[in-house]
Short mmCIF file of all heavy atoms in Angstrom, two decimals:
data_model
loop_
_atom_site.label_atom_id
_atom_site.label_comp_id
_atom_site.label_asym_id
_atom_site.label_seq_id
_atom_site.Cartn_x
_atom_site.Cartn_y
_atom_site.Cartn_z
N ARG C 9 369.87 131.45 42.71
CA ARG C 9 370.54 132.23 41.67
C ARG C 9 369.57 132.42 40.51
O ARG C 9 369.00 131.47 39.98
CB ARG C 9 371.79 131.51 41.16
CG ARG C 9 372.94 131.49 42.13
CD ARG C 9 373.57 132.88 42.27
NE ARG C 9 374.60 132.89 43.32
CZ ARG C 9 374.35 133.15 44.62
NH1 ARG C 9 373.12 133.44 45.00
NH2 ARG C 9 375.32 133.13 45.50
N SER C 10 369.44 133.68 40.14
CA SER C 10 368.65 134.03 38.96
C SER C 10 367.25 133.44 38.97
O SER C 10 366.87 132.67 38.10
CB SER C 10 369.40 133.60 37.70
OG SER C 10 368.75 134.10 36.56
N LEU C 11 366.48 133.82 39.95
CA LEU C 11 365.07 133.40 40.02
C LEU C 11 364.22 134.33 39.16
O LEU C 11 364.31 135.55 39.28
CB LEU C 11 364.58 133.47 41.47
CG LEU C 11 363.07 133.37 41.67
CD1 LEU C 11 362.57 131.98 41.40
CD2 LEU C 11 362.68 133.81 43.07
N LYS C 12 363.45 133.70 38.26
CA LYS C 12 362.60 134.51 37.39
C LYS C 12 361.17 133.96 37.45
O LYS C 12 360.97 132.75 37.38
CB LYS C 12 363.11 134.45 35.94
CG LYS C 12 364.51 135.00 35.79
CD LYS C 12 365.13 134.71 34.45
CE LYS C 12 365.55 133.27 34.28
NZ LYS C 12 366.79 132.91 34.98
N VAL C 13 360.22 134.85 37.61
CA VAL C 13 358.82 134.44 37.65
C VAL C 13 358.02 135.32 36.71
O VAL C 13 358.11 136.55 36.79
CB VAL C 13 358.23 134.57 39.07
CG1 VAL C 13 356.78 134.07 39.08
CG2 VAL C 13 359.05 133.81 40.08
N ILE C 14 357.26 134.70 35.82
CA ILE C 14 356.38 135.49 34.96
C ILE C 14 354.95 134.95 35.03
O ILE C 14 354.72 133.78 35.33
CB ILE C 14 356.85 135.51 33.49
CG1 ILE C 14 356.87 134.10 32.91
CG2 ILE C 14 358.20 136.18 33.36
CD1 ILE C 14 357.12 134.07 31.42
N PHE C 15 353.99 135.85 34.79
CA PHE C 15 352.58 135.47 34.74
C PHE C 15 352.01 135.90 33.40
O PHE C 15 351.92 137.10 33.13
CB PHE C 15 351.79 136.18 35.84
CG PHE C 15 352.15 135.76 37.22
CD1 PHE C 15 353.08 136.48 37.95
CD2 PHE C 15 351.56 134.65 37.81
CE1 PHE C 15 353.42 136.11 39.24
CE2 PHE C 15 351.89 134.28 39.09
CZ PHE C 15 352.82 135.00 39.81
N PRO C 16 351.64 134.95 32.56
CA PRO C 16 351.00 135.37 31.31
C PRO C 16 349.56 135.83 31.58
O PRO C 16 348.84 135.19 32.35
CB PRO C 16 351.00 134.11 30.45
CG PRO C 16 351.28 132.99 31.37
CD PRO C 16 351.76 133.50 32.67
N THR C 17 349.15 136.95 31.02
CA THR C 17 347.76 137.40 31.13
C THR C 17 347.28 137.80 29.75
O THR C 17 348.05 137.83 28.80
CB THR C 17 347.63 138.63 32.05
OG1 THR C 17 348.19 139.75 31.38
CG2 THR C 17 348.30 138.42 33.38
N GLU C 18 345.98 138.11 29.70
CA GLU C 18 345.40 138.52 28.42
C GLU C 18 346.11 139.75 27.85
O GLU C 18 346.24 139.91 26.66
CB GLU C 18 343.93 138.89 28.62
CG GLU C 18 343.01 137.72 28.50
CD GLU C 18 341.61 138.11 28.93
OE1 GLU C 18 341.46 138.88 29.89
OE2 GLU C 18 340.65 137.63 28.31
N ARG C 19 346.52 140.65 28.75
CA ARG C 19 347.06 141.92 28.27
C ARG C 19 348.57 141.90 28.10
O ARG C 19 349.18 142.92 27.81
CB ARG C 19 346.65 143.04 29.21
CG ARG C 19 345.24 143.52 28.96
CD ARG C 19 344.78 144.38 30.09
NE ARG C 19 344.73 143.62 31.32
CZ ARG C 19 344.84 144.17 32.53
NH1 ARG C 19 345.02 145.43 32.66
NH2 ARG C 19 344.75 143.40 33.61
N GLY C 20 349.19 140.76 28.33
CA GLY C 20 350.63 140.68 28.16
C GLY C 20 351.25 139.86 29.26
O GLY C 20 350.55 139.31 30.11
N ILE C 21 352.57 139.76 29.22
CA ILE C 21 353.23 138.93 30.21
C ILE C 21 353.73 139.80 31.36
O ILE C 21 354.46 140.77 31.15
CB ILE C 21 354.39 138.17 29.55
CG1 ILE C 21 353.81 137.13 28.60
CG2 ILE C 21 355.26 137.49 30.60
CD1 ILE C 21 354.82 136.43 27.77
N ILE C 22 353.27 139.46 32.56
CA ILE C 22 353.74 140.20 33.73
C ILE C 22 355.06 139.60 34.18
O ILE C 22 355.13 138.42 34.52
CB ILE C 22 352.70 140.13 34.87
CG1 ILE C 22 351.47 140.91 34.48
CG2 ILE C 22 353.29 140.64 36.16
CD1 ILE C 22 350.38 140.92 35.51
N LYS C 23 356.11 140.43 34.15
CA LYS C 23 357.40 139.94 34.63
C LYS C 23 357.50 140.33 36.10
O LYS C 23 357.89 141.44 36.43
CB LYS C 23 358.52 140.56 33.83
CG LYS C 23 358.50 140.16 32.36
CD LYS C 23 359.51 140.97 31.59
CE LYS C 23 359.30 140.78 30.10
NZ LYS C 23 359.98 141.82 29.32
N ALA C 24 357.10 139.41 36.97
CA ALA C 24 357.02 139.75 38.39
C ALA C 24 358.40 139.76 39.02
O ALA C 24 358.73 140.65 39.80
CB ALA C 24 356.12 138.76 39.11
N VAL C 25 359.22 138.77 38.71
CA VAL C 25 360.57 138.69 39.26
C VAL C 25 361.51 138.44 38.09
O VAL C 25 361.30 137.53 37.30
CB VAL C 25 360.69 137.54 40.28
CG1 VAL C 25 362.08 137.50 40.86
CG2 VAL C 25 359.67 137.71 41.39
N GLU C 26 362.54 139.27 37.98
CA GLU C 26 363.38 139.19 36.79
C GLU C 26 364.81 138.80 37.10
O GLU C 26 365.75 139.52 36.79
CB GLU C 26 363.38 140.55 36.07
CG GLU C 26 362.03 140.95 35.56
CD GLU C 26 362.12 142.18 34.67
OE1 GLU C 26 363.13 142.36 33.99
OE2 GLU C 26 361.17 142.96 34.70
N GLY C 27 364.96 137.68 37.75
CA GLY C 27 366.32 137.21 37.97
C GLY C 27 366.92 137.77 39.24
O GLY C 27 367.70 138.72 39.19
N ILE C 28 366.54 137.23 40.38
CA ILE C 28 367.17 137.72 41.61
C ILE C 28 368.04 136.63 42.22
O ILE C 28 367.78 135.44 42.10
CB ILE C 28 366.13 138.22 42.64
CG1 ILE C 28 365.27 137.10 43.19
CG2 ILE C 28 365.27 139.32 42.05
CD1 ILE C 28 364.48 137.53 44.40
N ASP C 29 369.12 137.09 42.85
CA ASP C 29 370.00 136.19 43.61
C ASP C 29 369.72 136.44 45.08
O ASP C 29 369.60 137.59 45.49
CB ASP C 29 371.46 136.51 43.30
CG ASP C 29 371.79 136.30 41.84
OD1 ASP C 29 370.97 135.66 41.14
OD2 ASP C 29 372.84 136.79 41.40
N PHE C 30 369.64 135.36 45.82
CA PHE C 30 369.26 135.53 47.22
C PHE C 30 369.90 134.41 48.02
O PHE C 30 369.98 133.28 47.57
CB PHE C 30 367.74 135.44 47.33
CG PHE C 30 367.18 135.77 48.68
CD1 PHE C 30 366.79 137.07 48.98
CD2 PHE C 30 367.08 134.80 49.66
CE1 PHE C 30 366.28 137.37 50.23
CE2 PHE C 30 366.58 135.10 50.91
CZ PHE C 30 366.17 136.40 51.19
N GLU C 31 370.39 134.77 49.20
CA GLU C 31 370.83 133.67 50.07
C GLU C 31 370.67 134.06 51.52
O GLU C 31 370.65 135.24 51.87
CB GLU C 31 372.27 133.26 49.76
CG GLU C 31 373.26 134.37 49.74
CD GLU C 31 374.59 133.93 49.15
OE1 GLU C 31 374.57 133.25 48.10
OE2 GLU C 31 375.62 134.24 49.74
N VAL C 32 370.52 133.03 52.34
CA VAL C 32 370.42 133.27 53.78
C VAL C 32 371.15 132.13 54.49
O VAL C 32 371.07 130.98 54.10
CB VAL C 32 368.94 133.42 54.22
CG1 VAL C 32 368.11 132.25 53.78
CG2 VAL C 32 368.84 133.61 55.71
N SER C 33 371.92 132.52 55.51
CA SER C 33 372.71 131.52 56.22
C SER C 33 372.04 131.12 57.52
O SER C 33 371.09 131.77 57.98
CB SER C 33 374.09 132.08 56.55
OG SER C 33 374.70 132.54 55.38
N LYS C 34 372.61 130.09 58.11
CA LYS C 34 372.10 129.60 59.39
C LYS C 34 372.20 130.71 60.43
O LYS C 34 373.21 131.41 60.52
CB LYS C 34 373.00 128.42 59.80
CG LYS C 34 372.38 127.47 60.74
CD LYS C 34 373.18 126.17 60.80
CE LYS C 34 372.66 125.33 61.94
NZ LYS C 34 373.60 125.23 63.05
N GLY C 35 371.14 130.88 61.20
CA GLY C 35 371.18 131.87 62.27
C GLY C 35 371.17 133.30 61.82
O GLY C 35 371.42 134.22 62.60
N GLU C 36 370.88 133.51 60.57
CA GLU C 36 370.90 134.87 60.06
C GLU C 36 369.47 135.38 59.83
O GLU C 36 368.59 134.60 59.49
CB GLU C 36 371.65 134.88 58.72
CG GLU C 36 371.99 136.26 58.21
CD GLU C 36 372.60 136.21 56.81
OE1 GLU C 36 372.35 135.24 56.07
OE2 GLU C 36 373.30 137.15 56.45
N CYS C 37 369.29 136.67 60.02
CA CYS C 37 367.99 137.25 59.69
C CYS C 37 368.17 138.20 58.53
O CYS C 37 368.89 139.18 58.61
CB CYS C 37 367.43 137.99 60.90
SG CYS C 37 365.92 138.87 60.50
#
Side-chain angles (χ1 to χ4, degrees):
Chain C
R9 288 289 174 271
S10 188
L11 166 72
K12 299 169 286 284
V13 183
I14 61 171
F15 293 95
T17 71
E18 273 171 322
R19 280 167 297 155
I21 291 173
I22 291 180
K23 296 171 191 164
V25 182
E26 296 189 32
I28 67 167
D29 298 346
F30 187 93
E31 52 192 45
V32 54
S33 305
K34 203 165 170 250
E36 191 187 24
C37 174

